[in-house]
Amino acid sequence: MFPELPPGLANLSPITGARPRASLRLAARGLIAVVIASAVSMSLAVPSSADGLTEQRDRVKAQIAQTQQNLDDSNASLDAANAAVQRTGQQLDAARAALAQTERELADAKARDIAMAAKLKQAQLALDRARAAVAEGQRLLGAQQQRATDIVRYQYQQQTNLLPIAVVVGDSTADVATRLQWSTTLFDTAASELDRLKDLQAQLATEQQKQSALEREVAAQRKAAAENLALKKALQARAAAQESTVAGLLAQHQAEQRSAAQAVAADQSRYASLVKERASVEKRIAIRIAKAKAEAARKAAAERRAREAARRSAAAKRAAEKARTSSRSYSSRGSSSSGSSGGSSSGGGSSSGGGAHHGFIFPVSAPITSPYGMRLHPVLHVWKLHDGTDFGAGCGTPIRAAYSGRVAERYFNAGYGNRLMIDHGVIAGRYVTTGYNHASRYVVSVGQHVRQGQIIGYVGTTGFSTGCHLHLMVWLNGSVVNPMSWLY
């Protein structure tokens, strides 16, 4: 029943919406080609002898040249599928953006971790050297302290032991001077060692301060590294969660793209069936128009023949009457006066009616929810024709004949639901047909004559319909037109 999905639609990308839109456009072009070929072939299949059909063919060609598309309404499932694809696509884009941001932050954290590790290693090496320097300074200071202590003790012992002896034995002045010089040397040496001790103490204090500063720096770096490590772990956990979210959204997006592709295929099949049905109806109307023209021609010929026979009969009667009158005048010898009789003949002229306008009425009293005309397909992004006017009447609302006429067809179609068509004959020089679609039921039969305003059925939602409404169509000379141009 339905045509295959055009090539290109099977290649829908599961990742982004760019490829599906391109594929849908390719699918639409393939569908359009089929529709144009169907429309042209169907229009050319109608006999060219009917003037109305020739006009119909020309209009079809003009319409194809002007629009290149002739699509019908998309169904609700296609709109919903498209909305779902767009929604999950946006969610997927947002999730991917969040994941990318987290991955950038994680990369920065990893880079900081590496830099911090290298810096901490250098600081630790510097701290180790500082600690070694302090230990060496403490060792040198200890040794210096011991040496200074030994010198001072030795000097004290020497001074204590020698001076009393020198006084008692009465050494010479030279000997005392020598001993004093020696004692002075000992004191100078002790003073030098003490100065060295002070220098070592100062150097050790500097090394200890440096060590303390390095210890604080290392501690701060360790704390920062620990904080960065915690941040990195948190970012890794967030990235894992976001990756899971992206994977889930991707799977959902792919499923919805498949659903959308199926909806597109169903919409294309639905469109193809509607176009086929529309062309079939136009062909049947064209046949009825041809039959009506043939019947009108036959009646006109019969009327001409009848008028000609009547004319000949009247002429014969007038000739016979004239002959009888002449015979009586000839045989009447006693007549001295001649009478003249004048005959007046009156000719009957044919009057041509002015063709008063015949106004159609609304079949239901309800607001228009969808007018006739071209509209943009929400998914395929191509223009398509809504071939009638939708009235938003509730189910069960009576449907009335828009004009008097004869019921020509009544049947069910998968796309239009329950259908009824009324032929109204030639009005203002054009053959008019009205169609009523999606009804729950009809109460008139094919061949029945209905008057304007008569109830012919009740509003429903059969066929391709998303809610109760009446889809009214009008054909002029077999071609569908805007119903509102004939409803007043």
Side-chain angles (χ1 to χ4, degrees), residues 35-93:
V35 171
I36 293 174
S38 300
V40 173
S41 62
M42 289 179 178
S43 64
L44 294 179
V46 180
S48 60
S49 59
D51 295 337
L53 298 183
T54 301
E55 295 174 1
Q56 175 187 354
R57 181 193 60 196
D58 294 340
R59 277 192 294 272
V60 169
K61 288 182 178 179
Q63 184 177 6
I64 290 173
Q66 179 180 1
T67 66
Q68 293 298 307
Q69 283 96 14
N70 189 20
L71 303 174
D72 197 60
D73 279 341
S74 62
N75 54 28
S77 63
L78 178 56
D79 294 337
N82 179 51
V85 168
Q86 291 180 342
R87 182 176 60 255
T88 55
Q90 292 171 353
Q91 293 174 347
L92 183 59
D93 291 341

Side-chain angles (χ1 to χ4, degrees), residues 135-150:
E136 177 63 18
Q138 288 175 338
R139 185 187 67 78
L140 293 176
L141 181 61
Q144 186 66 27
Q145 286 175 339
Q146 183 62 43
R147 183 175 179 180
T149 300
D150 291 343

Side-chain angles (χ1 to χ4, degrees), residues 254-287:
Q254 290 172 340
E256 286 169 348
Q257 282 184 321
R258 288 192 295 270
S259 176
Q262 293 171 357
V264 169
D267 192 63
Q268 291 173 337
S269 298
R270 171 177 174 248
Y271 163 70
S273 67
L274 292 177
V275 170
K276 182 178 179 180
E277 170 67 8
R278 196 156 59 225
S280 177
V281 169
E282 292 181 352
K283 184 176 181 180
R284 295 195 299 270
I285 293 175
I287 292 173

Side-chain angles (χ1 to χ4, degrees), residues 73 364 366-372 375 386-393 437-438 468-473 483-484:
D73 279 341
V364 293
I368 295 175
T369 55
S370 184
Y372 174 94
R375 60 186 61 179
H386 183 245
D387 59 8
T389 299
D390 289 346
F391 294 88
N437 304 279
H438 304 302
C468 300
H469 73 288
L470 170 66
H471 181 77
L472 178 69
M473 299 176 67
M484 298 310 295

Side-chain angles (χ1 to χ4, degrees), residues 228-314:
N228 188 69
L229 179 61
L231 174 61
K232 185 175 71 173
K233 290 181 179 179
L235 290 173
Q236 287 173 335
R238 190 205 301 175
Q242 289 173 338
E243 286 176 353
S244 177
T245 299
V246 168
L249 285 173
L250 179 59
Q252 180 182 353
H253 190 59
Q254 290 172 340
E256 286 169 348
Q257 282 184 321
R258 288 192 295 270
S259 176
Q262 293 171 357
V264 169
D267 192 63
Q268 291 173 337
S269 298
R270 171 177 174 248
Y271 163 70
S273 67
L274 292 177
V275 170
K276 182 178 179 180
E277 170 67 8
R278 196 156 59 225
S280 177
V281 169
E282 292 181 352
K283 184 176 181 180
R284 295 195 299 270
I285 293 175
I287 292 173
R288 294 200 297 272
I289 291 174
K291 288 182 179 179
K293 285 185 176 182
E295 179 64 18
R298 186 189 65 78
K299 288 182 179 181
E303 290 175 356
R304 286 195 301 273
R305 288 193 298 270
R307 287 195 299 270
E308 181 63 22
R311 186 189 64 77
R312 288 197 297 268
S313 177

